[in-house]
């Protein structure tokens, strides 16, 4: 009996204990696009008699304790994101539920559809994303591409050092072959594929930055050989807010910005406005920076339509370093490291810039030779940039019904500006340098021009006409590259079945580039003489603002379409897509002799000339400007990929594709407007395999790729002889292969680690053909057209093929972060001029540069919210290149001799140790 009672009491105690036992639901709240944590997110748990919740900590972790066994509805929410809920069952242990929230920031999700943003464990491409928090903490007054160096396979540099002169290289392909899209709109230059980052200062208004490497998910025909960069800007926030920022730093850097968001207003209107002012002396000598930036977004919902109007631009001017210099001019030590000789008058420091000088202007009496009106000494840039590219987008996102979603955007861009350079009366952009200072010798140029009176020859006597106009033989010009660009992107997604979606769309563009030189500064003279304008008297005196040297328009018409079929289940995502595009180019030249067309035949009729055709006399007045026929090309791409989620935490993906790429405008026509012979579409074949691991505390990806680029065209320029020689090599192949790995690990709630590794092998294969022209576009040797060049096995230069990155984010106390980041690049080969390899027996590899490494440090502190949580105040600071190491970043061999001679290597170096500090106030 005693044992029976004891057993009953023990059983009852066990039941009571079990009934009293409670458990927790825990996990993380993350951004669906970037995978970054969302600190402060709210998690609400209801059901089974409970109604409780918790907030996410700075790493996005949450924990809701005290829950009995049973089934609950768990909802995660965060300002600017769509609410997401899960049904979670709690048994006899703690349950885990991780939430990946999709942004509800204005029209960001719809823009992601247009931009074809990759999604974790769904889209079968290798990608990396940077969210707003990381941009704010680590950009540190740099150009936007620089933050992407922590992405495997990406190599970004600041080029010559001017603000906005950065360049980016993905898997060995330069940014002309990396598609850059802002809110789904392509921004690569329509004629060259180039990207000019100085056109936008988007760091403060970027919501997310995503790099898709290799075969991207882009649905439109874009030059995505290396990959695609999607820049998604802010729309509007759910709540009304104001955000002011102030920054200062090295080299007299100053920036002030203000952002205002209206939140949702009556009538479902919303507005966001942003403006900033930025100035700096620049870390390179005389690479000054002076820029304004504006950004505005207005959004309105009308029935099932969401309309969004965005305008942005950044009128700016900045000093530049256009070309690299010999290593010894920067540093004797660096020259010795690579076995190069010191240079007399060299060792000027890594910020050396030859493209500036000083000038004191004055008036000079030709008879007494006395000077008057002597001005102050001014600093003058031989090379600088000025540009304003306002862009306006109007988006319409239309949810037609539950099965059909239509997106459309029309856009316009009016670019105005160009670059400053020198010019001689002989049409050379290489003007006088001082042999002692190795700087532009503006004073000597001025002195010569101010004395250059005309003369007449009477027999053996030369008489100066002191009252005559003085010709400038060297002066400054604006190289104008303005454009008018209109386009649209229209697409739709139709759900055929629950798991099957058909997408299709069209992309149209009209582009006109306006290219000419105009006299900027005569430097003491009264006029410059006509250069190359055959429709004008060759002795015409040109003044400041007059066009000189060249003047032509380039027209591009683009029409492309795409179709895509996507199958998606929780385990398997598969996609097959194709694009087809038709591109036409035309060049109109205003300096070539006018043309008279008779019976289908064109005849040149220049200034003061005539043509007698079939007894009829024609003059230039009867002619029209020289205009090429349309050069038409068809491009296409096909690709397929699949992602398979092996488990909740592991996935595999693969993709394969072929892209028949249309050559850019500048690879179709010579600088004189002649159509290159045998121009072929370039064919790119790509294959990729990848594996991913995703846990709340760890994410890792590993992928391997192979890309073969057939019929590639490259351009280079050499100034070894003192005159520019332009080389074009066509119909060569490049083979790029490699492996990439990235890891993000949460070691503890206060410590996270991220790392990236990329190992590449990029080489030229086969042989191509070479053509060389002078600055006027005439062949260097008319008897040497399409010379063979032998590139088999030569490494592709211009970017490091191996990369290692390691970063930490540590919060020793709440709201205080410290972020060191270490970066190493190796296997970096110098660019070279292919004309050096004209004989197969003497073929040699390009020069391999030393391994480089860099350490950056970022830190900041956000104060506890003030005034009942209505005011936020924070501070941040960054030290770039903490160890003050100098290394090669951009290397070209612009000489025309041996590609492996270190004495001929010309380079740019990174900037030394610099800092920025800033603060923000948000209401």
């Amino acid at each position: 009996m005693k044992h029976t009672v004891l057993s009953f009491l023990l059983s009852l105690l066990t039941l009571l204990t079990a009934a009293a036992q409670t458990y927790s639901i825990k996990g993380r709240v993350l951004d669906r696009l970037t995978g970054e944590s969302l600190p402060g997110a709210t998690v609400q748990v209801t059901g089974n008699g409970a109604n409780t919740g918790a907030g996410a900590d700075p790493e996005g972790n949450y924990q809701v304790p005290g829950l009995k066994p049973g089934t609950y509805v768990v909802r995660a929410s965060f300002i600017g994101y769509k609410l997401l809920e899960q049904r979670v069952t709690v048994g006899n242990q703690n349950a885990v539920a991780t939430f990946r929230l999709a942004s509800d920031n204005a029209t960001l999700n719809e823009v992601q559809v247009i931009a074809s943003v990759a999604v974790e464990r769904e889209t079968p491409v290798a990608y990396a994303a940077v969210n707003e928090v990381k941009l704010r903490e680590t950009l540190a007054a740099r150009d936007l591409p620089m933050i992407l160096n922590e992405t495997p396979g990406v190599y970004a540099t600041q080029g010559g050092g001017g603000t906005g002169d950065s360049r980016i290289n993905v898997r060995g392909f330069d940014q002309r072959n990396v598609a850059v899209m802002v809110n789904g709109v392509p921004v690569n230059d329509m004629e060259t594929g180039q990207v000019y980052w100085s056109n936008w200062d988007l760091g403060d208004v970027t919501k997310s930055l995503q790099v898709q490497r290799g075969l991207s998910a882009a649905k439109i025909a874009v030059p995505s050989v290396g990959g695609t960069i999607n820049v998604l800007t802010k729309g509007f926030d759910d709540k009304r807010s104001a955000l002011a920022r102030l920054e200062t730093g090295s080299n007299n850097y100053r920036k002030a910005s203000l952002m205002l968001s209206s939140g949702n207003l009556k009538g479902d209107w919303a507005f966001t406005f942003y403006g900033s002012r930025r100035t700096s002396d620049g870390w390179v000598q005389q690479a000054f920076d002076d820029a304004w930036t504006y950004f505005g977004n207005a959004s309105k919902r009308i029935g099932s339509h969401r309309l969004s109007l965005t305008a942005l631009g950044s009128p700016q001017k900045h000093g530049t370093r256009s070309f690299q210099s010999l290593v010894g001019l920067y540093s004797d030590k660096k020259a010795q490291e690579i076995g190069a000789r010191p240079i007399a008058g060299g060792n000027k420091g890594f910020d050396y810039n030859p493209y500036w000088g000083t000038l004191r202007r004055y008036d000079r009496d030709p008879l007494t030779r006395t000077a008057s009106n002597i001005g102050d000494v001014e600093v003058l840039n031989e090379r600088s940039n000025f540009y304003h590219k306002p862009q306006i987008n109007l988006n319409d996102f239309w949810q037609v019904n539950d099965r059909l979603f239509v997106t459309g955007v029309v856009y316009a861009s009016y670019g105005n500006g160009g670059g400053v350079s020198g010019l001689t009366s002989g049409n050379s952009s290489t003007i006088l340098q001082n042999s002692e200072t190795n700087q532009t010798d503006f004073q000597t140029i001025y002195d010569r021009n101010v004395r250059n009176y005309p003369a007449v020859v009477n027999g053996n006597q030369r008489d100066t006409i002191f009252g005559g106009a003085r010709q400038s033989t060297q002066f400054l010009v604006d190289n104008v590259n303005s454009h008018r660009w209109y386009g649209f992107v229209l697409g739709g997604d139709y759900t055929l079945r629950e798991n099957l979606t058909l997408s299709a769309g069209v992309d149209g563009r009209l582009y006109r580039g306006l290219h000419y030189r105009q006299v900027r500064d005569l430097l003491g003279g009264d006029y410059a003489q006509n250069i190359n304008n055959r429709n004008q008297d060759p002795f015409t005196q040109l003044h400041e603002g007059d066009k000189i040297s060249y003047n032509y328009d380039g027209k591009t018409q683009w029409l492309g379409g795409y179709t895509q079929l996507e199958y998606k289940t929780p385990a398997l995502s598969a996609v097959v897509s194709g694009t087809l595009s038709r591109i036409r180019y035309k060049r109109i030249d205003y300096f070539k002799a006018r043309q008279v067309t008779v019976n289908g035949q064109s005849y040149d009729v220049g200034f003061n000339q005539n043509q007698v055709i079939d007894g009829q006399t024609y003059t230039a007045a009867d002619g029209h400007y020289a205009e090429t026929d349309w050069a038409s090309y068809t491009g296409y791409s096909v690709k397929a990929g699949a992602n398979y989620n092996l488990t909740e935490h592991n996935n595999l993906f693969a993709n394969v594709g072929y892209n028949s790429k249309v050559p850019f405008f500048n690879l179709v026509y010579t600088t004189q407007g002649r159509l290159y012979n045998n121009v072929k579409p370039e064919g790119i074949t790509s294959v990729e395999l990848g594996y991913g691991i995703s846990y709340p505390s760890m994410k890792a990806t590993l992928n391997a790729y192979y890309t073969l680029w057939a019929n590639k065209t490259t351009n280079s320029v050499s100034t070894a002889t003192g005159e520019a020689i332009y080389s074009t090599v066509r119909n060569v192949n490049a083979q790029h292969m490699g492996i990439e790995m990235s890891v993000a690990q949460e070691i503890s709630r206060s410590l996270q680690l991220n790392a990236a590794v990329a190992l590449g092998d990029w080489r030229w294969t086969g042989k191509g053909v070479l053509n060389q022209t002078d600055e006027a576009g005439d062949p260097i040797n008319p008897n040497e057209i399409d010379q063979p060049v032998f590139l088999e096995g030569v490494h592709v230069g211009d970017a490091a093929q191996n990369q290692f990155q390691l970063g930490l984010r540590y919060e020793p106390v709440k709201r205080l972060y410290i972020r060191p980041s270490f970066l190493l690049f190796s296997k970096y080969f110098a660019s070279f001029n292919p004309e050096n390899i004209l004989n197969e027996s003497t073929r040699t590899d390009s020069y391999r540069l030393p391994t480089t490494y860099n350490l950056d440090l970022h830190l900041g502190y956000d104060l506890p919210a003030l005034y009942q949580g209505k005011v936020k105040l924070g501070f941040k600071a960054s030290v770039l290149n903490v160890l003050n190491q100098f290394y090669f970043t951009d290397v070209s061999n612009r000489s025309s001799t041996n590609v492996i001679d270190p004495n001929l290597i010309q380079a740019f170096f990174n900037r030394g140790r610099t800092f920025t500090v800033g603060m923000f106030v948000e209401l």
Side-chain angles (χ1 to χ4, degrees):
M1 183 67 178
K2 183 186 296 186
H3 291 292
T4 302
V5 173
L6 182 60
S7 297
F8 174 76
L9 292 174
L10 289 173
S11 299
L12 181 62
L13 180 62
T14 301
L15 290 172
L16 291 173
T17 303
Q21 180 70 46
T22 60
Y23 301 93
S24 298
I25 296 177
K26 60 182 180 179
R28 296 186 73 192
V29 184
L30 307 172
D31 183 298
R32 183 172 183 261
L33 172 63
T34 67
E36 298 283 343
S37 61
L38 296 176
T42 300
V43 178
Q44 188 73 22
V45 177
T46 59
N48 201 28
N51 188 352
T52 184
D57 66 14
E59 287 73 49
N61 297 298
Y62 74 90
Q63 182 170 358
V64 181
L67 301 175
K68 300 176 183 179
T71 300
Y72 298 87
V73 175
V74 186
R75 297 180 177 87
S77 62
F78 190 66
I79 293 176
Y81 289 80
K82 291 183 177 180
L83 181 146
L84 185 63
E85 69 176 41
Q86 298 183 36
R87 295 183 66 84
V88 179
T89 299
V90 176
N92 59 358
Q93 61 182 1
N94 295 330
V96 176
T98 295
F99 293 85
R100 292 178 170 84
L101 304 187
S103 175
D104 194 28
N105 182 274
T107 54
L108 186 63
N109 286 310
E110 289 88 349
V111 170
Q112 290 176 11
V113 173
I114 292 179
S116 305
V117 171
V119 178
E120 182 183 10
R121 292 170 57 84
E122 291 183 12
T123 311
V125 299
Y127 77 95
V130 180
N131 71 354
E132 186 179 2
V133 173
K134 186 173 181 180
L135 280 166
R136 186 174 66 246
E137 292 182 353
T138 65
L139 189 56
R142 294 175 293 175
D143 296 342
L144 202 58
M146 298 304 297
I147 201 173
L148 297 177
N149 268 326
E150 297 188 5
T151 301
V154 172
Y155 181 76
T157 80
Q158 292 179 300
T163 303
D165 290 344
S166 292
R167 67 181 185 92
I168 191 167
N169 188 298
V170 180
R171 292 182 173 176
F173 301 105
D174 65 34
Q175 62 188 17
R176 293 170 298 177
N177 300 292
V178 175
V180 179
M181 304 176 73
V182 177
N183 294 332
V185 173
V187 298
N188 295 75
D189 184 84
M190 289 287 290
E191 295 180 326
T192 67
Q194 192 58 265
V195 180
Y196 303 99
W197 297 98
S198 59
N199 291 340
W200 311 279
D201 181 15
L202 296 176
D204 289 339
V205 296
T206 296
K207 181 69 177 177
S208 176
L209 182 64
Q210 187 184 83
V211 182
Q212 299 175 14
R213 305 186 298 276
L215 286 175
S216 69
K219 295 177 181 177
I220 63 176
V222 288
S224 53
V225 181
T228 299
I229 298 175
N230 284 312
V231 181
L232 303 182
T233 63
K234 282 180 172 289
F236 68 88
D237 292 323
D238 286 344
K239 65 175 184 177
R240 187 175 303 174
S241 65
L243 176 61
R245 293 190 179 103
L246 291 173
E247 289 182 298
T248 187
S250 302
N251 309 305
N252 204 27
Y253 169 75
R254 302 286 187 272
K255 184 176 181 180
S257 65
L258 176 65
M259 183 180 296
L260 302 174
S261 296
S262 69
N264 279 304
L265 301 175
K266 185 177 180 180
D268 209 10
W269 282 95
F271 301 92
T272 296
F273 299 104
Y274 169 85
S276 73
R277 174 79 168 116
R278 186 190 70 225
T279 60
S280 172
D281 293 339
W283 63 273
V284 170
Q285 296 172 6
Q286 301 306 318
F288 68 92
D289 175 37
D290 187 348
W292 296 83
T293 295
Y294 58 87
F295 170 88
N297 174 269
S299 180
K300 166 70 173 173
R301 187 178 295 279
I302 304 175
S304 58
H305 293 263
R306 165 70 80 176
L307 299 177
S308 176
L309 178 66
T310 301
L312 56 91
S314 186
Q316 59 80 37
K317 53 185 177 180
H318 69 274
T320 65
R321 271 193 307 188
S322 297
F323 301 110
Q324 296 93 328
S325 295
L326 295 171
V327 178
L329 283 172
Y330 300 106
S331 166
D332 288 342
K333 181 179 178 181
K334 284 295 178 184
Q336 293 168 2
E337 283 183 13
I338 64 172
R341 295 182 297 271
I343 294 177
N347 203 36
K348 293 180 173 296
F350 296 103
D351 63 347
Y352 166 64
N353 179 9
Y355 299 109
W356 67 277
T358 59
L359 172 64
R360 187 189 294 271
R361 301 177 191 263
Y362 58 88
D363 294 330
R364 183 174 183 271
D365 187 295
L367 298 177
T368 64
R369 301 183 182 182
T370 58
S372 60
N373 298 325
I374 300 174
D376 296 330
V377 175
E378 61 181 281
V379 173
L380 202 59
N381 283 69
E382 178 193 338
R383 301 272 177 166
S384 62
N385 178 272
F386 59 100
Y387 216 81
H388 181 203
K389 178 185 169 68
Q391 181 164 309
I392 301 174
N393 304 344
L394 176 62
N395 295 73
D396 180 15
F397 311 104
W398 182 21
Q399 189 68 57
V400 182
N401 52 46
D402 291 340
R403 303 181 71 177
L404 177 61
F405 178 60
V406 176
T407 62
V409 55
V410 292
Y411 60 92
S413 173
Y414 286 71
N416 292 285
V420 177
S421 72
L423 193 69
T424 71
S425 55
N427 201 32
S428 170
S429 58
T430 302
I431 61 175
L432 184 66
Q433 268 198 331
N434 187 299
S435 59
E436 296 181 0
T437 64
N438 287 311
Q439 307 291 147
T440 306
D441 198 344
F442 283 114
Q443 194 62 60
T444 298
I445 294 172
Y446 189 92
D447 293 342
R448 291 176 179 175
N449 288 340
V450 84
R451 292 169 170 80
N452 192 29
Y453 289 98
V456 294
V457 177
N458 295 316
N460 295 325
Q461 184 175 346
R462 185 177 186 274
D463 295 326
T464 300
I465 305 175
F466 288 108
R470 299 159 297 183
Q471 180 186 353
S472 292
T473 57
Q474 299 189 47
F475 44 95
L476 293 179
V477 294
D478 292 331
N479 304 292
V480 175
N481 291 291
S482 299
H483 70 252
R484 306 292 179 260
W485 184 353
Y486 310 92
F488 70 91
V489 181
L490 178 65
D493 297 330
Y494 183 73
T495 303
L496 298 171
R497 285 184 246 170
E498 180 182 359
N499 300 322
L500 192 64
T501 301
L502 175 66
S503 301
V506 62
D507 162 33
R509 311 176 205 176
L510 292 175
Y511 179 95
R512 186 168 190 143
L514 291 70
H515 310 284
Y516 55 87
R517 277 178 172 156
Q518 65 181 15
V519 180
R520 178 185 180 91
D521 189 336
L522 288 168
L523 299 177
D526 297 313
Y527 72 93
Q529 194 161 303
N530 173 25
I531 299 175
N532 280 351
N533 187 351
R534 292 189 58 194
N535 297 312
Q536 190 178 57
D537 187 335
F539 298 102
T540 298
Q541 295 183 3
L542 303 177
H543 303 94
E544 292 175 4
D546 289 338
K547 293 181 174 64
I548 191 171
S549 183
Y550 62 81
N551 181 14
Y552 71 93
D553 289 353
K555 299 177 69 174
T556 301
Q557 296 179 353
W558 175 301
L559 184 63
Y562 77 89
T563 183
Q564 174 179 290
L565 190 63
E566 184 176 19
Y567 175 79
K568 186 184 297 183
T569 68
L572 176 65
S573 299
V575 61
V576 178
S577 68
T579 68
L580 181 66
S581 56
R582 182 69 169 172
I583 293 92
R584 304 204 306 163
Y585 299 128
K586 177 188 284 286
R587 177 174 164 137
I588 305 170
D589 199 311
Y590 303 105
F591 273 16
K592 276 189 173 183
R594 284 176 174 261
Q595 293 183 334
V596 173
T597 303
V598 179
N599 298 325
Q601 179 71 36
S602 294
Y603 303 87
D604 289 348
V605 186
F607 174 81
N608 206 27
Q609 292 180 338
N610 58 62
Q611 285 274 7
V612 179
I613 306 169
D614 295 335
Q616 177 74 35
T617 300
Y618 297 89
T619 67
D622 301 311
H624 56 82
Y625 289 117
E627 184 172 328
T628 67
D629 295 329
W630 286 102
S632 300
Y633 300 89
T634 299
Y636 66 90
S637 68
V638 290
K639 53 189 176 184
N643 178 86
Y644 183 66
N645 296 326
L646 300 168
T647 69
E648 182 184 354
H649 305 293
N650 303 82
N651 68 291
L652 288 170
F653 74 86
N655 60 59
V656 61
Y658 179 81
N659 181 6
S660 178
K661 179 178 175 295
V662 171
F664 292 119
F665 180 96
N666 68 322
L667 302 179
V668 172
Y669 297 105
T670 70
T671 55
Q672 287 298 295
R674 291 189 291 270
L675 190 69
Y676 279 117
N677 296 323
N678 196 28
V679 176
K680 301 177 181 178
E682 301 169 333
I684 299 97
T685 303
S686 186
V687 180
E688 183 168 17
L689 297 171
Y691 172 67
I693 302 174
S694 180
Y695 285 88
S697 61
M698 186 193 72
K699 288 177 60 178
T701 60
L702 175 66
N703 57 280
Y705 65 90
Y706 172 86
T707 302
L708 177 64
W709 189 341
N711 297 324
K712 185 176 181 180
T713 300
T714 64
N715 290 328
S716 61
V717 59
S718 168
T719 57
T721 63
E723 300 293 333
I725 297 176
Y726 295 86
S727 299
T728 298
V729 175
R730 307 192 319 278
N731 304 340
V732 297
N733 300 336
Q735 178 180 276
H736 294 233
M737 62 179 69
I739 58 174
E740 299 163 341
M741 182 178 71
S742 63
V743 177
Q745 171 74 55
E746 180 184 316
I747 299 172
S748 69
R749 290 192 175 186
S750 61
L751 181 62
Q752 297 90 44
L753 173 147
N754 64 284
V757 177
L759 303 175
D761 186 51
W762 314 327
R763 298 173 185 263
W764 299 102
T765 63
K767 64 181 180 179
V769 294
L770 165 71
N771 286 285
Q772 294 181 306
T773 63
D774 58 21
E775 196 154 14
D778 297 318
I780 298 298
N781 189 337
N783 297 320
E784 294 180 349
I785 305 297
D786 285 351
Q787 298 180 81
V789 292
F790 302 89
L791 301 176
E792 178 70 35
V794 175
H795 282 92
V796 174
D798 199 38
Q801 303 194 16
N802 293 343
Q803 169 193 15
F804 173 77
Q805 184 271 335
L806 178 65
L808 297 172
R809 189 183 190 279
Y810 177 53
E811 287 200 21
V813 298
K814 192 174 182 179
R815 296 184 301 276
L816 172 66
Y817 70 85
I818 302 173
R819 297 186 74 145
S821 178
F822 177 80
L823 191 62
L824 181 147
F825 286 113
S826 67
K827 200 178 178 184
Y828 179 16
F829 291 88
S831 297
F832 60 94
N833 284 335
E835 65 266 27
N836 300 317
I837 312 179
L838 298 177
N839 189 316
E840 188 171 13
S841 63
T842 59
R843 179 177 62 245
T844 184
D845 207 349
S846 186
Y847 189 84
R848 181 168 176 169
L849 280 301
T851 296
T852 64
Y853 61 90
N854 181 74
L855 176 65
D856 295 333
L857 180 64
H858 313 279
L859 62 154
Y861 179 68
D862 293 345
L863 275 66
L866 307 172
Y867 301 104
Q868 299 179 338
K870 296 181 179 179
V871 179
K872 296 179 181 179
L873 178 64
F875 302 88
K876 65 175 183 177
S878 294
V879 182
L880 303 177
N881 192 6
V882 174
L883 304 178
N884 203 34
Q885 294 290 312
F886 291 94
Y887 46 86
F888 295 90
T889 59
D890 302 77
V891 180
S892 71
N893 189 341
R894 292 167 55 230
S895 70
S896 58
T897 54
N898 196 327
V899 297
I900 60 171
D901 186 350
N903 291 295
L904 301 175
I905 288 177
Q906 301 180 38
F908 289 139
F909 288 82
N910 63 303
R911 61 173 159 183
R913 186 187 300 115
T914 57
F915 74 92
T916 59
V917 295
M919 65 173 292
F920 76 89
V921 179
E922 185 174 6
L923 304 176

